[in-house]
Amino acid sequence: MVFSLVSLCAREVVSDHSASPCWLMWVPRELYGALLEAAFSSCRPLAVGELVQRWPERTLRVGGRRKPGQTAPSRLCIQSLLLAVVRGLSDHRCSLQVLDLCGLQAEDGGMADSMGGWSLTVALCTMVVQAKCGAQRGQTERKRKRRKELHGEELVSNNEKSLGSSKLQGEDLSKGVRRRMEIEKRQEAAAGGAEASKKELEEKELNSDVVVHVRADLFVNARSWERVRVALGTSGPLKLQCRYLRVEEISVSSIKTLLNLLPHRGLLGVDIRYSSLGVAGLAELLPLLSAFPTLNSLRLHYCNLDFRRDSLGQTEALRSLSQGLAQLKELRRLSLTALRLPGQLRVLLSSLPQPLEILEVPYLSLSPSDLAYLSCSHHSSTLQQLDLSENHLDESTLPSIRRLLSQASSSLQHLSLSGCGLTDGLLGLLLPTLGGCLELKSLALALNPLSMACLINVVRMAVRMPSLRQLLYPNPLEDYQPGLPDRPSSAQLLDWPLDEASDLNMTSSQLNRLLTDSGRSDLILTCDLLNYDKDLVE
């Protein structure tokens, strides 16, 4: 990473905290951003706190997509930032009104000293509640001082009455009458205000209380749900807003409570995982989601929605789900993982008012009729990302897959066919259509029973695709120990040991030699399923 001169100077300035009193008062507002970035990258939590506490701009954005090689801020720096935001509420030098922390959380399995989404959510909720308590203490202190001032004025007035002449006493009496009249007028005005509508008063109170709007991605599970509920329901100087909501292992009623507390503006996505929604629970949530006008992403992972187990009332339940999805006017991304909905894709997707750009349906037990519908639907020509992993494909589904890829050839950027049971013959028939997807950036074919000869043909096709940057290929059948079934499943390929006698590096070398010969140094070949990330090519 090459640093600019400003970045290098900023790193040097924040390196010595003892000198901060000398330079903080002279720093122009244009350099605060560079200094804060240097403080984060150099892990200088004290410098982070001092800069944020007197932040000169109305908006502060920390997070978002990180540059290559850039790590997430450390836990100490994030904690210092949050404490400084609370301190800045009473600092006249701070102009902060919007704090945007979307994307600040570290990825799962990241650096040990970084802060993940779960910890960050708890810290944010604690900050909101602390700010409310601090504001209440400040109000109590101001009231106490005001009472002292009024008491002092009364003592002075009494002394003047006892020592002054009758003329002065008359004047003081008239002043006392005027003061009582002013007090009575203020009381009447307050009483008149109380007669206003309750809704207007509540809105006015909320607007007057909020000093800084805090926007972030919220991660909620059973342990943190109560803290998040309290923070979202707190009215104080900090107002918590949500861009993406991810919930895990909490009940339908708890999810409904969160959705009712969230501000309707600004929520872009909801991700529900490992929660036993059931058909009825999902039908209850969809009308609540329709209240968020900017919602464009809905992800459901392992939510115990299996129509094969519960056939009673299946038609009515599907109709409710279809009607609920139809109300999501701006939905562009739909992820349904392991929900077991064979033959029901038409019912779910046909009601969507807008064509999808991202469709992820792994482990969905798609039937030939599902793929036939998808290939002819209004979604096919707009798909940018398609995940069909772990849905079995065979000769009966081949025409539908070809038609689907042809329809999406001008828009499709990411495609996953991992674990679909693709054999040499089936993939060989599909390669010409795949090669026509000229906008494709990543292609995943892991856990398919393919030979080395077929992999060579795949790479030869890949080097002719100008936009392709990443190819995830499976270990060839020749690399496994003897005894593997003729048509192994993805689970068998995942668990079956590789042959230690064979040179596993030979496969990689042979495939990468094809890249070298074609001059495609920008294309990455990998068989590392665990570390594969399609977003790296963005």
Side-chain angles (χ1 to χ4, degrees):
M1 181 182 296
V2 179
F3 295 99
S4 66
L5 180 60
V6 174
S7 299
L8 292 173
C9 293
R11 291 167 69 93
E12 183 65 25
V13 168
V14 301
S15 62
D16 185 7
H17 182 260
S18 63
S20 60
C22 301
W23 55 263
L24 268 174
M25 65 180 65
W26 304 110
V27 173
R29 60 191 302 169
E30 294 81 7
L31 293 180
Y32 267 73
L35 289 168
L36 184 61
E37 183 178 350
F40 276 126
S41 61
S42 303
C43 194
R44 301 292 179 181
L46 294 178
V48 170
E50 290 186 334
L51 289 167
V52 173
Q53 183 175 340
R54 59 184 75 192
W55 192 253
E57 304 288 346
R58 293 185 178 183
T59 302
L60 172 58
R61 291 184 175 88
V62 181
R65 185 179 294 273
R66 287 181 283 274
K67 302 175 183 177
Q70 185 180 11
T71 59
S74 68
R75 180 180 297 268
L76 285 176
C77 286
I78 295 177
Q79 291 172 341
S80 180
L81 179 147
L82 300 183
L83 290 174
V85 170
V86 177
R87 293 196 303 267
L89 295 173
S90 57
D91 194 328
H92 68 278
R93 298 167 298 183
C94 186
S95 302
L96 186 62
Q97 295 180 8
V98 178
L99 176 63
D100 191 342
L101 302 178
C102 298
L104 177 61
Q105 68 276 358
E107 299 296 333
D108 296 337
M111 298 176 59
D113 63 340
S114 59
M115 184 174 285
W118 310 103
S119 300
L120 179 59
T121 297
V122 172
L124 285 172
C125 294
T126 303
M127 176 188 69
V128 170
V129 175
Q130 286 178 346
K132 172 67 173 180
C133 295
Q136 290 176 340
R137 286 194 299 268
Q139 291 176 359
T140 303
E141 185 64 25
R142 287 192 295 270
K143 289 180 180 178
R144 187 184 300 112
K145 291 181 179 180
R146 181 58 181 164
R147 283 197 297 268
K148 288 182 178 180
E149 292 175 357
L150 292 175
H151 184 62
E153 291 177 1
E154 291 177 0
L155 290 177
V156 171
S157 178
N158 291 334
N159 290 334
E160 290 177 350
K161 288 179 182 180
S162 61
L163 297 177
S165 61
S166 59
K167 181 178 179 179
L168 292 176
Q169 288 178 353
E171 292 177 356
D172 290 339
L173 182 60
S174 64
K175 290 180 179 179
V177 172
R178 287 196 299 269
R179 181 174 181 80
R180 285 195 298 271
M181 292 175 63
E182 291 174 357
I183 293 175
E184 290 175 358
K185 287 181 179 180
R186 286 197 295 267
Q187 291 176 347
E188 291 176 358
E195 295 175 358
S197 65
K198 183 179 179 181
K199 183 177 180 181
E200 293 177 354
L201 287 175
E202 289 178 353
E203 292 179 354
K204 185 177 181 181
E205 183 180 357
L206 288 174
N207 292 333
S208 62
D209 286 343
V210 176
V211 178
V212 179
H213 293 270
V214 182
R215 186 163 166 77
D217 302 326
L218 299 183
F219 292 64
V220 188
N221 55 21
R223 290 178 296 176
S224 62
W225 177 83
E226 180 61 24
R227 290 196 184 189
V228 177
R229 184 193 66 80
V230 172
L232 288 175
T234 297
S235 58
L238 297 182
K239 180 65 175 178
L240 191 58
Q241 298 178 339
C242 180
R243 182 186 67 162
Y244 288 108
L245 174 65
R246 173 173 166 179
V247 297
E248 288 191 7
E249 297 180 325
I250 63 176
S251 64
V252 174
S253 60
S254 298
I255 299 174
K256 291 172 63 177
T257 300
L258 290 179
L259 294 176
N260 286 325
L261 289 172
L262 286 174
H264 286 176
R265 295 287 177 181
L267 183 66
L268 299 182
V270 174
D271 187 346
I272 304 175
R273 305 188 181 200
Y274 314 114
S275 299
S276 296
L277 296 182
V279 178
L282 182 56
E284 288 182 37
L285 294 179
L286 289 178
L288 296 178
L289 294 176
S290 64
F292 298 92
T294 57
L295 184 74
N296 59 34
S297 173
L298 176 60
R299 308 180 71 182
L300 305 174
H301 299 269
Y302 300 95
C303 290
N304 194 23
L305 189 69
D306 195 338
F307 281 105
R308 296 186 306 177
R309 296 179 184 174
D310 182 14
S311 58
L312 184 62
Q314 175 175 320
T315 303
E316 183 178 351
L318 281 172
R319 187 182 300 112
S320 299
L321 294 183
S322 178
Q323 292 173 352
L325 289 170
Q327 299 303 314
L328 306 182
K329 304 298 184 181
E330 297 299 324
L331 194 67
R332 294 294 186 275
R333 176 175 188 166
L334 182 62
S335 301
L336 307 171
T337 300
L339 299 188
R340 308 293 184 186
L341 300 172
Q344 308 300 336
L345 203 61
R346 176 190 296 271
V347 179
L348 296 177
L349 300 188
S350 61
S351 62
L352 294 176
Q354 299 291 338
L356 294 172
E357 296 176 356
I358 299 177
L359 178 62
E360 297 169 320
V361 287
Y363 296 95
L364 209 66
S365 303
L366 294 178
S367 66
S369 62
D370 290 325
L371 294 171
Y373 159 73
L374 187 58
S375 65
C376 301
S377 69
H378 65 297
H379 306 288
S380 60
S381 60
T382 61
L383 287 175
Q384 299 178 11
Q385 183 173 319
L386 178 62
D387 187 352
L388 299 176
S389 300
E390 299 298 335
N391 288 287
H392 183 69
L393 303 180
D394 53 24
E395 289 78 5
S396 64
T397 60
L398 185 61
S400 298
I401 293 296
R402 280 177 166 174
R403 184 164 55 247
L404 175 59
L405 294 179
S406 297
Q407 291 291 327
S409 60
S410 61
S411 61
L412 192 61
Q413 300 179 14
H414 303 282
L415 174 64
S416 178
L417 298 175
S418 296
C420 290
L422 294 174
T423 60
D424 287 5
L426 193 60
L427 185 57
L429 295 174
L430 196 58
L431 284 182
T433 309
L434 276 174
C437 299
L438 300 181
E439 300 299 321
L440 202 63
K441 296 181 180 179
S442 69
L443 175 61
L445 298 172
L447 300 179
N448 284 299
L450 302 177
S451 67
M452 186 63 190
C454 183
L455 288 183
I456 291 176
N457 291 333
V458 170
V459 174
R460 286 174 177 168
M461 174 208 68
V463 297
R464 295 193 297 269
M465 302 174 68
S467 299
L468 194 64
R469 294 294 179 268
Q470 199 169 29
L471 172 63
L472 175 66
Y473 64 88
N475 293 103
L477 295 175
E478 292 86 344
D479 287 353
Y480 288 92
Q481 289 185 4
L484 195 66
D486 292 338
R487 301 193 67 172
S489 65
S490 59
Q492 291 172 325
L493 291 172
L494 186 63
D495 296 335
W496 204 270
L498 296 175
D499 191 356
E500 298 179 355
S502 63
D503 187 359
L504 300 181
N505 292 326
M506 184 177 299
T507 299
S508 176
S509 300
Q510 188 172 354
L511 296 179
N512 279 284
R513 192 178 304 116
L514 295 175
L515 292 185
T516 304
D517 294 342
S518 64
R520 285 296 304 273
S521 59
D522 58 343
L523 177 57
I524 299 174
L525 303 181
T526 179
C527 62
D528 189 354
L529 179 60
L530 296 179
N531 294 318
Y532 172 75
D533 186 3
K534 60 178 176 50
D535 293 331
L536 293 178
V537 301
E538 292 291 348

